[in-house]
């Protein structure tokens, strides 16, 4: 296939970026989207032009490293990660616009790479269960009902890719945060810190410059792990409860 | 099964193909003289392959490697194997809590092995600095593990025990792992599950709310804990959260997007690392009292593998060049059920769960002429269900190494299926037609649906209608830096954990045991053994020692050199070529002749790399080609050592199949009389040959036996 790519180029966080247009021919429809960019980069390098910087690692949809806005959609036209998107999803002769995630909390590092360390800081604020190594009770001493275990698992599958933020008109990180809060809130082990956790995480989220949730739902629509929108309800519920008991 | 105590002779247990090579020759000498201002790009860099003495068959040593003194692990205490770990923990010196915060530990890597160690040492009050090349510690390659993690909990009352897990693991490793280390692994396995559950890892549960287990790859006990097909992800998130908790507590500092490029060794001890900030390009020096490498495996030496794109050997290789022995480099695990290569553009191979072999039947056409036909047009009597034919007792469930090698054989015969890549079709059918007839479509969907969907997404084919195509791919490396019972390398103060070390898996790794090792090392073993070393600290301040500045200058020099070559070939083209050589000659099947050829080819490739690689841009910016160039340069040297290691080991064991060493029926033949040792290689210098130190493997508690699947 032959394609026209409009790619956002930006040499560093502080510089101005702009779109550049590249023509790539002879692309196999079996390639993944990132392999197509690999091919573009090999060709650019051969011509002595700076290759396009983009992030990826596992290339099997689990590490959450990759992530691009593809013609206006987070991760592109399919509900999957960018590395699992294949060129057969595009018509021959297509023009594709490729941009980095756009959000104040995710500053551009170079070209298509953004800084998502705000997510790590939200976890640092309280997205864990406090248990020191060696202090754990026998695993079978606390049974977990299967329904709760399954919901905890579903929420825990978030890969921290940031597509929810990129898709949201408010650049809110509520789906990401709701997923973590729900994962831990469903488990008996997560109860002692439940109220404090949600308050600390939400404060950090706002501090990082993510927007508020106005229930638009674009996040869940773009999420490659199909994290359900109702994790945000769990988060709001926990937050209200925590504030009521401990208004500050 | 021959041995009733074992579940090792099961389909899952087999595996690997060792690959190894030795390096000799002048590698990149760019760092030789850090003080000289202008490095000459063309000159000293490369060895001249043709001038090197060619060793004769039967005289392996000449021109390839030298034999050094034998080595041994001196840290495992005497006494019954069940008491060794307790004894070692008791004997290890303690560090007073008030002194711990004065002690600094650097940990390279945030996978299961690194994150768990950093969190635990941070909790203990040590001052920890951690590095990873990804943008978040949670993205380390451990995230990709699917199947599960073993632990001898015996929750199913099916006869499991620490002893049995120990036995299975040693046997599964084809008797090339170290008994004491493996026993300890089995011993602490149960604590891992407790720890992870307390952290909130959502393992699969049954309706009573208790933890569920499965038997992995057909073993006879159910000891594998799992979180759907995402066990590695969930375990890593647990360790990552524990790590981030320590970051908030101020005991651990994490540097993401930082690549470790050199170890600082002062007075023979590891005292720090040189890293590059991958965003700004700044070269930074970090000093500490001890250094831990938890930098993962080196399967990407093959270019195509199931590993993440960034997996590399640089941290280990730089340590090797500074004196850390590299053990059994040629031991590579090849996994039989991966999605085949579809074209030259391919950047990675995707693993599909081994569970598919429980119901799928594997076949290729009997006749080459049928290979282009649609599989549904090939009648039953024209199909060769080769595993069922050759191994009637195990059929499609033979171990990984056997399934892999037979797939290669039929494709090499010209009976492979799928698109031609190069001259061959490299794929075999994994057919569910019979399972769908027997169990019904709905049952097959509920059992394997997500795998079928994944296959469909990647290949664009519907596996319910057309048989899947699979082919073996490089998956895991059992070799790694040599460590003693304390996980300390041959450089004092340099510890190595997880896939980066060599000790626990022998020539073959059983499924679900790498995750177990990563967490055992990080949560329970290293924090106990490193304190014995740290108890002698705090150590002298080395900031102003010349070795520190030299290590830093070496790194800068090497980067400068890579940027100045400005040749014609991209970094990836070199990596691909190395991968082809490794896969062809040091992959599933190795021969004396092929390996010798590979050594020559790699030496030539190295020379060309340092003359002709093209890396654009500068060092003072985010430069992905530069990152890859440094890694590929190290992979080339490792590749040579892998081939030399494979060459010297004239026996077949685990997945390492030597054509010269097989039974009359064509099965792998081990030679315990000659090769029951660990090959620990010492760096021989840029223009010297590597030095082989042998560590005899002593089996006091387990009897050595041949594996058989017929
Ligand atoms: C697809 C797949 C499925 C698997 N499934 C299973 C399974 O079901 N069960 C099982 O037991 N095992 C499985 N394995 C194997 C297992 O996942 C790995 O062996 C294990 O996770 C390795 O953990 P680690 O902590 O040693 O290294 P990794 O998780 O690879 O971590 C390496 C770390 O080192 C860092 N690093 C590396 N080099 C540098 C450098 N130079 N500078 C700075 N940082 C560096 C990286 O950033 C990373 O943080 C699987 C592997 C694959 C590929
Ligand atoms: S919630 Fe979904 S879209 Fe958001 S970070 Fe997690 S996986 Fe990505
Ligand atoms: S590269 Fe890991 S999710 Fe895409």
């Amino acid at each position: 296939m032959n394609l026209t790519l409009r790619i956002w180029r930006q040499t560093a966080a502080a510089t101005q970026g702009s779109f550049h247009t590249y023509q790539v021919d002879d692309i196999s429809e079996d390639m993944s989207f990132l392999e197509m960019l690999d091919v573009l980069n090999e060709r650019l390098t051969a011509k002595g032009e700076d290759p396009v910087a983009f992030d990826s690692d596992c290339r099997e949809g689990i590490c959450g490293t990759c992530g691009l806005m593809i013609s206006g959609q987070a991760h592109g036209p399919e509900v999957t990660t960018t590395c699992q998107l294949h060129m057969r999803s595009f018509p021959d002769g297509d023009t594709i616009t490729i941009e980095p995630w756009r959000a104040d909390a995710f500053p551009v590092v170079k070209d298509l790479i953004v800084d998502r360390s705000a997510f790590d800081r939200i976890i640092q604020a309280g997205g864990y269960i406090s248990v020191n190594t060696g202090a754990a009770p026998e695993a079978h001493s606390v049974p977990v009902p299967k329904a709760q275990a399954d919901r905890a698992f579903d929420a825990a599958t978030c890969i921290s890719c940031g597509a929810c933020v990129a898709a949201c008109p408010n650049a809110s990180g509520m789906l990401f945060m709701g997923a973590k809060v729900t994962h831990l809130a469903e488990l008996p082990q997560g109860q002692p810190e439940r109220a404090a956790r949600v308050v600390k995480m939400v404060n950090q989220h706002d501090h990082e410059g993510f927007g508020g949730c106005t229930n638009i739902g674009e996040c869940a629509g773009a999420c490659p792990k199909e994290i359900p929108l109702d994790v945000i309800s769990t988060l709001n519920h926990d937050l209200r409860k925590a504030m009521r008991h401990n208004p500050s | 099964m021959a041995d009733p105590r074992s579940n090792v002779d099961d389909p899952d247990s087999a595996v690997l193909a060792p690959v190894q090579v030795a390096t000799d020759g002048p590698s990149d000498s760019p760092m030789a003289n850090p003080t000289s201002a202008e490095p000459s790009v063309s000159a000293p860099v490369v060895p001249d392959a043709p001038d090197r003495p060619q060793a004769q068959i039967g005289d392996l040593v000449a021109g390839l490697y030298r034999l050094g003194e034998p080595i041994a692990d001196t840290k495992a205490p005497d006494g019954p194997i069940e008491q060794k770990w307790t004894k070692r923990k008791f004997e290890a010196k303690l560090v007073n809590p008030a002194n711990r915060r004065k002690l600094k530990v650097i940990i390279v890597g945030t996978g299961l092995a690194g994150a768990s160690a950093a969190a635990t040492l941070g909790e203990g009050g040590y001052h920890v600095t951690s590095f990873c090349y990804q943008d978040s510690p949670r993205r380390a390659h451990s995230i990709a593990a699917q199947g599960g993690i073993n632990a001898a909990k015996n929750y199913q009352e099916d006869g499991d025990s620490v002893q049995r897990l120990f036995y299975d693991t040693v046997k599964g490793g084809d008797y090339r792992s170290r008994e004491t280390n493996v026993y300890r692994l089995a011993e602490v396995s149960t604590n891992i599950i407790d720890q992870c559950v307390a952290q909130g890892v959502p393992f699969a549960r049954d309706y009573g709310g208790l933890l569920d287990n499965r038997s992995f790859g057909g073993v006879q006990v159910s000891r594998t804990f799992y979180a759907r097909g995402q066990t590695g992800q969930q375990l890593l998130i647990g360790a990552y959260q524990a790590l981030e908790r320590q970051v908030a507590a101020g005991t651990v500092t994490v540097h993401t997007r930082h690549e470790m490029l050199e170890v600082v060794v002062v007075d023979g001890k590891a005292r720090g690392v040189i890293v590059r900030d991958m965003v700004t390009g700044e070269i930074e020096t970090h000093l500490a009292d001890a250094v831990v490498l938890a930098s993962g495996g080196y399967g990407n030496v093959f270019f195509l593998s199931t590993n993440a794109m960034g997996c590399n050997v640089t941290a280990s290789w730089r340590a090797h060049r500074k004196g850390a022995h590299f053990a059994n480099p040629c031991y590579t695990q090849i996994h039989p059920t991966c999605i085949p290569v579809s074209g030259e553009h391919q950047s990675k191979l995707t693993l599909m769960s081994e569970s598919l072999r429980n119901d799928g039947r594997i076949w290729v056409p009997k006749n080459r002429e049928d290979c282009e036909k649609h599989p549904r047009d090939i009648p039953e009597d024209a199909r060769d269900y080769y595993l069922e034919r050759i191994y009637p007792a195990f059929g499609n469930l033979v171990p990984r190494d056997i399934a892999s090698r037979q797939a290669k054989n039929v494709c090499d015969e010209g009976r492979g299926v799928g698109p031609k890549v190069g001259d061959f079709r490299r794929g075999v059918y994994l057919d569910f037609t019979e399972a769908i007839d027997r169990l019904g479509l709905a049952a097959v969907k509920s059992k394997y649906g997500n795998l079928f969907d994944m296959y469909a997404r990647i290949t664009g084919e519907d596996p319910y209608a057309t048989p899947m195509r699979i082919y073996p791919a490089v998956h895991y490396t059992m070799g790694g830096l040599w460590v003693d019972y304390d996980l300390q390398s041959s450089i004092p103060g340099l510890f190595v954990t997880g896939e980066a070390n060599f000790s626990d898996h022998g020539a073959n790794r059983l499924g679900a045991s790498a995750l177990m090792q990563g967490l055992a090392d990080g949560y329970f073993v290293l924090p106990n053994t490193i304190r014995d070393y740290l108890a002698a600290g705090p150590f002298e301040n080395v900031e102003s020692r010349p070795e520190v500045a030299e290590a830093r200058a070496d790194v800068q020099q090497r980067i400068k050199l890579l940027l100045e070559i400005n040749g014609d070939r991209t970094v990836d083209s070199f990596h691909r070529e190395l991968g082809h050589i490794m896969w062809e000659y040091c992959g599933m099947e190795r021969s004396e002749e092929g390996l010798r050829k590979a050594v020559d080819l790699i030496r030539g490739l190295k020379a060309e790399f340092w003359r002709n690689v093209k890396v654009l841009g500068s060092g003072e910016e985010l430069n992905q080609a530069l990152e890859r160039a440094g890694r590929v340069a190290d992979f080339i040297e490792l590749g040579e050592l892998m081939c030399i290691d494979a060459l010297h080991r004239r026996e077949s064991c685990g997945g390492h199949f030597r054509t010269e060493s097989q039974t009359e029926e064509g099965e792998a033949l081990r030679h315990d009389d000659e090769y029951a040792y660990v090959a620990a290689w010492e760096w021989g210098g840029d223009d010297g040959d590597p030095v082989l130190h042998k560590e005899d493997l002593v089996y006091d508690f387990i009897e050595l036996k041949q594996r058989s699947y017929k």
Side-chain angles (χ1 to χ4, degrees):
Chain A
M1 356 177 7
N2 302 329
L3 301 162
T4 305
L5 306 177
R6 288 181 65 237
I7 302 183
W8 183 260
R9 304 298 309 257
Q10 180 171 344
T11 47
T15 58
Q16 279 283 343
S18 62
F19 281 106
H20 288 226
T21 303
Y22 303 91
Q23 192 64 38
V24 281
D25 298 339
D26 297 325
I27 293 298
S28 151
E29 61 167 28
D30 287 333
M31 286 179 188
S32 73
F33 198 82
L34 299 182
E35 284 166 351
M36 183 274 293
L37 290 179
D38 290 342
V39 168
L40 169 71
N41 277 344
E42 287 283 284
R43 294 180 190 169
L44 287 178
T45 306
K47 284 197 288 183
E49 284 179 46
D50 205 18
V52 182
F54 64 92
D55 260 336
S56 76
D57 203 16
C58 74
R59 297 214 174 177
E60 51 185 74
I62 192 73
C63 73
T65 308
C66 64
L68 302 172
M69 290 306 280
I70 300 170
S71 298
Q73 281 174 292
H75 289 306
E78 318 271 332
V79 183
T80 185
T81 55
T82 305
C83 58
Q84 292 293 287
L85 176 67
H86 285 75
M87 295 316 293
R88 64 181 82 88
S89 300
F90 298 87
D92 191 8
D94 209 2
T95 296
I96 306 174
T97 303
I98 309 171
E99 295 168 85
W101 289 162
R102 304 271 186 180
D104 286 347
F106 290 165
V108 172
V109 174
K110 182 176 180 180
D111 295 343
L112 303 173
I113 297 179
V114 298
D115 178 353
R116 283 168 295 192
S117 52
F119 274 2
D120 288 335
R121 290 188 292 274
I122 292 176
I123 299 298
Q124 283 159 25
Y128 48 76
I129 289 170
S130 296
V131 51
N132 282 359
T133 305
E138 214 297 319
H140 264 180
S141 60
V142 189
V144 184
K146 189 157 170 30
Q148 272 171 257
D150 285 349
R151 178 156 163 87
F153 182 91
D154 287 338
T157 58
C158 163
I159 56 173
S160 221
C161 62
C164 46
V165 175
C168 173
N170 307 327
S172 171
M174 291 287 260
L175 193 69
F176 161 78
M177 196 164 48
K180 185 46 58 194
V181 163
T182 305
H183 161 206
L184 299 177
E186 286 291 341
L187 298 170
Q189 292 86 351
Q191 300 313 312
E193 293 165 291
R194 185 167 177 174
R197 172 183 307 121
V198 71
V199 174
K200 290 194 275 185
M201 288 177 73
V202 168
N203 283 342
Q204 188 66 34
H205 168 272
D206 296 351
H207 175 75
E208 294 288 350
F210 292 103
C213 171
T214 51
N215 291 317
I216 294 168
E218 286 290 329
C219 53
C223 174
K225 296 298 148 180
E226 299 176 26
I227 301 290
L229 200 56
D230 68 3
V231 298
I232 298 181
S233 317
T234 301
L235 181 135
N236 286 332
H237 170 267
D238 278 16
L239 185 64
R240 260 195 316 274
K241 216 168 137 192
M243 301 300 267
R244 213 179 304 133
H245 289 214
N246 197 1
S248 54
Chain B
M1 250 147 259
D3 187 325
R5 288 180 303 161
S6 149
N7 57 1
V8 176
D9 278 351
D10 66 72
D12 188 55
S13 50
V15 183
L16 321 174
V19 173
Q20 297 251 349
V21 181
T23 309
D24 89 328
S27 26
D28 47 311
S29 20
M31 9 210 46
N33 183 2
T35 47
S36 84
E38 270 312 56
S40 134
V41 175
S42 50
V45 179
V46 177
D48 210 3
D51 287 352
R52 301 197 53 87
Q54 295 295 304
Q56 297 304 307
I57 297 199
D59 178 21
L60 276 180
V61 177
L64 285 178
Y65 69 92
R66 286 179 290 137
L67 206 54
E69 292 297 306
I71 53 169
D73 165 36
T74 54
K75 300 282 183 49
D78 299 334
I81 202 157
E82 305 81 29
Q83 288 164 26
K84 283 180 193 284
W85 180 227
T86 308
K87 205 167 158 195
R88 181 70 192 118
K89 279 190 288 186
F90 179 71
E91 284 170 356
K93 291 184 218 72
L94 297 177
V95 181
N96 167 331
N99 287 340
R100 291 186 203 157
R101 83 185 86 88
K102 296 181 206 144
L103 289 163
K104 235 185 130 177
V105 179
I106 283 172
I107 302 184
V108 179
T110 60
L112 288 178
S116 56
T120 306
L121 291 172
E123 288 160 12
Y126 298 94
H127 186 65
V128 180
T129 311
S130 135
F131 299 93
C132 67
Y133 68 74
Q134 293 92 348
D135 69 327
S136 165
R138 60 161 289 143
R139 307 204 198 281
H141 176 56
S142 294
I143 202 108
Q146 303 170 350
I149 176 167
N150 286 338
K153 280 283 199 188
N154 195 25
Y155 281 163
Q156 312 302 330
E157 267 304 302
D158 55 3
D160 200 9
S161 63
V162 168
Q163 177 68 25
R164 189 179 299 277
L165 177 55
F166 162 57
Y167 179 82
D168 289 352
T169 308
V170 169
K171 189 175 173 194
D174 222 356
Y175 306 94
R176 292 292 177 265
S177 49
R178 197 191 278 149
E179 242 186 13
T180 50
N181 289 56
V182 179
Y183 190 91
R184 175 177 62 194
L185 175 66
E187 187 179 336
V188 303
S189 66
T190 59
N191 302 350
I192 295 172
I193 304 303
D194 298 342
Q195 183 64 30
C196 295
V197 166
Q199 289 171 342
V201 171
F203 284 119
R205 293 191 177 254
D206 61 23
Y207 284 96
L210 299 180
L211 294 157
D212 198 7
N213 295 114
R214 57 185 172 202
S215 82
F216 204 62
V219 294
Q220 289 166 310
V221 293
S222 280
R223 63 158 74 102
T224 307
F225 292 78
Y226 64 101
R228 269 179 234 165
Q230 304 171 9
T231 315
Q233 184 197 25
Q234 295 308 323
L235 294 173
L236 184 62
I237 289 173
Y240 156 76
Q241 288 173 185
L243 175 69
E244 295 298 350
R245 173 173 162 246
Q246 291 310 304
V247 172
T251 62
V252 179
T253 311
V254 176
H255 297 273
T256 58
R257 293 197 196 269
H258 275 67
E259 185 159 43
M260 183 274 219
L261 295 174
E262 198 53 88
V263 199
V264 176
V265 179
V266 182
D267 293 335
K269 296 198 181 85
R271 292 303 308 273
V273 292
I274 310 293
V275 299
R276 178 171 179 272
D277 177 330
M278 295 157 75
V279 176
T280 64
E282 196 184 330
I283 305 299
E284 305 170 357
T285 305
H286 294 263
L287 300 176
D289 297 299
V291 176
V292 181
L293 299 187
S295 47
Y298 51 85
N300 276 356
V301 66
F302 290 89
F303 187 69
L304 287 181
S305 81
T306 63
N307 289 3
M309 299 295 284
C311 289
N312 68 91
V313 77
T314 289
S316 299
W317 194 253
R318 296 284 117 198
H320 174 58
R321 292 178 55 108
K322 282 274 171 91
H325 294 350
F326 209 114
N328 298 336
C330 83
Y331 285 167
T332 307
Q333 177 173 67
I334 315 265
H335 201 291
T337 52
C338 300
I339 300 179
V341 178
S342 62
E344 283 294 331
H345 59 267
Q346 198 120 353
S347 60
K348 84 154 276 155
L349 297 171
T350 302
L351 176 75
M352 295 219 296
S353 171
E354 189 138 61
S355 62
L356 290 171
R357 288 203 281 149
N358 287 319
D359 286 304
R361 294 182 72 195
I362 295 173
W363 63 275
V364 291
K366 280 186 181 158
N367 309 311
R368 278 180 218 192
E369 307 78 66
D370 287 349
C371 290
E372 271 166 67
K373 285 191 188 156
H374 190 277
R376 293 279 167 260
D377 298 335
I378 304 173
E380 203 54 36
D381 60 5
R383 301 176 178 188
D384 179 10
Y385 295 89
Y386 57 90
L387 291 175
E388 298 170 33
R389 169 171 60 80
I390 310 174
Y391 309 97
F394 281 86
N396 296 301
L397 292 175
V398 291
R400 288 182 188 171
D401 57 340
I402 294 181
S404 297
R405 202 164 56 248
Q406 293 301 352
K408 178 177 192 292
N409 287 346
V410 293
C411 293
D412 288 351
E413 282 167 22
R415 296 194 287 141
V417 298
K420 255 194 185 163
V421 177
D423 289 342
F424 283 95
R425 294 171 205 282
R426 302 219 181 269
V428 301
Y429 289 124
L430 177 63
D431 196 341
F432 284 83
T433 315
E434 196 210 80
I436 291 171
D437 289 349
R438 182 164 40 93
L439 305 166
L441 188 66
V444 170
K445 262 197 178 138
S446 82
K447 227 167 153 180
Y448 303 113
N450 56 345
L451 293 166
F452 278 48
D453 293 348
M454 177 178 88
Y455 180 88
R457 197 176 328 109
I458 294 174
T459 62
E461 285 173 16
D462 174 8
Y464 294 102
T466 314
M468 291 184 182
R469 287 174 292 109
I470 54 168
Y471 197 67
V474 169
H475 182 53
Y476 180 90
T477 45
M478 281 80 59
L481 292 182
W482 183 89
V483 289
D484 63 17
Y485 189 67
D486 280 0
L487 304 183
Q488 185 170 232
S489 72
S490 49
I491 301 178
L494 182 74
F495 293 78
V496 192
T497 61
E499 193 172 339
N501 78 23
F502 88 102
S503 57
D504 294 6
H505 306 297
N508 199 22
R509 179 181 66 87
L510 286 178
S513 59
L515 300 181
M516 174 170 66
Q517 187 217 344
L519 290 180
D521 285 0
Y523 284 133
F524 301 108
V525 180
L526 179 89
N528 278 298
T529 58
I530 200 171
R531 68 185 158 84
D532 188 56
Y533 181 83
L534 291 172
F539 301 88
E540 179 205 345
N541 182 332
V542 295
E543 232 163 293
S544 53
R545 295 288 295 269
E547 292 91 334
V548 180
E550 273 165 33
R552 189 188 168 96
D554 283 351
V555 167
Q556 281 163 330
Q557 183 80 333
R558 184 174 159 91
I559 289 172
K560 186 158 181 260
L561 195 64
L562 286 169
L563 289 166
E564 279 174 356
I565 296 170
N566 198 16
D568 300 328
R569 277 182 68 178
T570 62
V571 176
D572 282 6
S573 78
F574 283 100
H575 197 173
R576 249 174 237 278
E577 186 174 337
L578 176 68
H580 280 283
I581 299 172
M582 296 305 294
W583 179 250
E584 199 52 43
Y585 301 111
C586 200
M588 282 183 274
E589 189 169 328
R590 300 103 182 258
S591 70
E592 185 116 16
E593 197 194 342
L595 288 163
R596 275 169 194 285
K597 181 164 174 195
V599 171
D600 282 346
L601 288 171
I602 294 170
R603 287 176 181 174
L605 189 69
K606 179 167 162 182
E608 204 203 331
F609 178 90
W610 286 101
R611 198 166 48 228
N612 201 20
V613 73
K614 185 184 192 94
V615 184
L616 299 172
S618 83
E620 285 79 48
E621 60 175 336
L622 190 150
N623 187 338
Q624 295 178 320
L626 176 65
E627 293 159 18
R628 287 200 297 269
R631 294 174 194 160
V632 171
D634 289 337
F635 274 139
I636 292 176
E637 292 185 3
L638 167 76
E640 190 180 334
L641 185 66
M642 287 171 77
C643 292
I644 291 177
D645 185 43
L647 193 50
H648 105 281
R649 192 169 282 274
R650 289 161 150 159
E651 66 166 346
S652 297
C653 75
H656 172 175
F657 188 81
R658 271 298 286 266
T659 356
E660 297 90 354
S661 183
Q662 47 183 308
T663 63
E664 278 175 15
E665 291 127 354
E667 299 302 330
L669 185 61
R670 233 174 45 219
H671 293 296
D672 294 332
D673 46 341
E674 286 180 84
Y675 293 103
Y677 62 76
V678 174
W681 296 92
E682 179 190 341
W683 174 246
D686 272 322
D687 17 57
D689 296 326
V691 182
L692 171 63
H693 299 275
K694 298 180 184 177
E695 178 197 334
D696 282 333
L697 287 165
V698 186
Y699 289 97
D700 288 331
F701 302 91
I702 285 180
E703 187 197 342
L704 277 75
K705 286 197 181 132
Q706 288 287 343
R707 290 153 76 220
S708 167
Y709 301 93
K710 289 252 170 165

